[in-house]
Amino acid sequence: MLERAAVDIAVVAGLGFGSYRFKALDAKGAVAAALLGLSVIELGGVYPFAALLTFVVLGVLATKYKFREKAKLGAAQSRNGIRSWGNVLGNGLAAVIFLAFEYFSHMDVFWAASFAAIATANGDTLASELGKIFGKSPKLITTLRPAKPGTNGAVSWAGELFALAGALIMGLFALPVTAEKATMLLAVTLGGFIGVNLDSLIGATLENEGITNNNSTNFLASLLGGFIGAGLFYLLA
């Protein structure tokens, strides 16, 4: 037990340090990521941790992809793409909450919620970072009027496809934790995809009104995406 905990701590500490050295996170963000990663692996084990790690890697790659081009458009991530603790919690805290419920209840519905929350975060990051490059004629989700790339609530067909792909990737990580594999994959993928669009909706409304910021918008969207994933799994299973 103690040996496993020591290994887990060493792994997440190493990954946190690596994210700092790679300039994906600042010092506070690296500490927050290590603590969040430790919570995930202790509560949920290897599969949600692998999903979260994959999300981080894909997020870094998507953020760095054609960063200068995004900067010219005025749509690049602030601070040269270096994120901090608020972004870490905004994208990962909902999954930890759902994993805690699964840990004590041993109910598959909370697996669906956990992975759908991560699917929302992953889909949103890919849709946002890659949609700015490949998306043509983005439109505001609330009015469908043309919007500049990077505008809160702006969506495009390319962004929607990246959102769906990002959610599907996380759904694959959920397959080993349940016997209801097809239902789990569908619930996580749809929950994450809907969560991404709710992120856009919150961004176009609450965030533009100053009620939320980027981090709290991400948290609300991933929380809602998790609830939707859980609801779909419960109804379909």
Side-chain angles (χ1 to χ4, degrees):
M1 187 71 175
L2 290 177
E3 290 182 358
R4 179 198 163 188
V7 171
D8 291 345
I9 292 172
V11 169
V12 298
L15 291 173
F17 180 73
S19 65
Y20 174 74
R21 292 286 295 176
F22 193 67
K23 295 184 179 180
L25 297 170
D26 62 15
K28 292 181 180 179
V31 172
L35 293 175
L36 189 139
L38 184 61
S39 300
V40 168
I41 199 169
E42 290 299 318
L43 291 170
V46 65
Y47 295 112
F49 180 75
L52 193 68
L53 179 60
T54 301
F55 156 61
V56 172
V57 172
L58 291 177
V60 170
L61 294 176
T63 299
K64 301 294 184 182
Y65 182 72
K66 293 191 176 181
F67 188 85
R68 291 183 179 179
E69 185 174 331
K70 286 183 278 191
K72 290 180 180 179
L73 293 173
Q77 180 75 22
S78 61
R79 303 175 63 205
N80 292 320
I82 301 175
R83 292 173 165 88
S84 191
W85 66 272
N87 186 269
V88 171
L89 295 182
N91 283 296
L93 183 58
V96 173
I97 293 172
F98 290 127
L99 284 172
F101 278 99
E102 192 286 324
Y103 182 83
F104 290 106
S105 70
H106 302 288
M107 296 174 62
D108 280 4
V109 68
F110 290 116
W111 280 127
S114 302
F115 283 99
I118 302 174
T120 298
N122 191 53
D124 177 60
T125 300
L126 296 186
S128 176
E129 295 297 337
L130 299 179
K132 295 170 185 175
I133 298 298
F134 296 102
K136 304 299 181 183
S137 304
K139 294 178 173 56
L140 199 64
I141 193 170
T142 50
T143 63
L144 297 182
R145 292 178 180 175
K148 294 182 180 178
T151 301
N152 287 333
V155 296
S156 66
W157 284 112
E160 292 294 295
L161 290 175
F162 283 119
L164 184 61
L168 176 61
I169 291 170
M170 294 300 107
L172 296 175
F173 283 99
L175 296 182
V177 304
T178 180
E180 302 287 343
K181 298 187 184 303
T183 301
M184 181 66 75
L185 181 62
L186 184 60
V188 171
T189 301
L190 289 180
F193 180 70
I194 294 171
V196 173
N197 284 280
L198 288 176
D199 186 285
S200 298
L201 184 61
I202 295 170
T205 54
L206 299 181
E207 190 172 345
N208 280 340
E209 291 295 325
I211 298 173
T212 63
N213 58 21
N214 180 65
N215 297 330
S216 55
T217 294
N218 289 340
F219 172 72
L220 286 174
S222 59
L223 190 69
L224 292 171
F227 278 123
I228 292 169
L232 288 172
F233 183 85
Y234 178 80
L235 292 174
L236 296 173

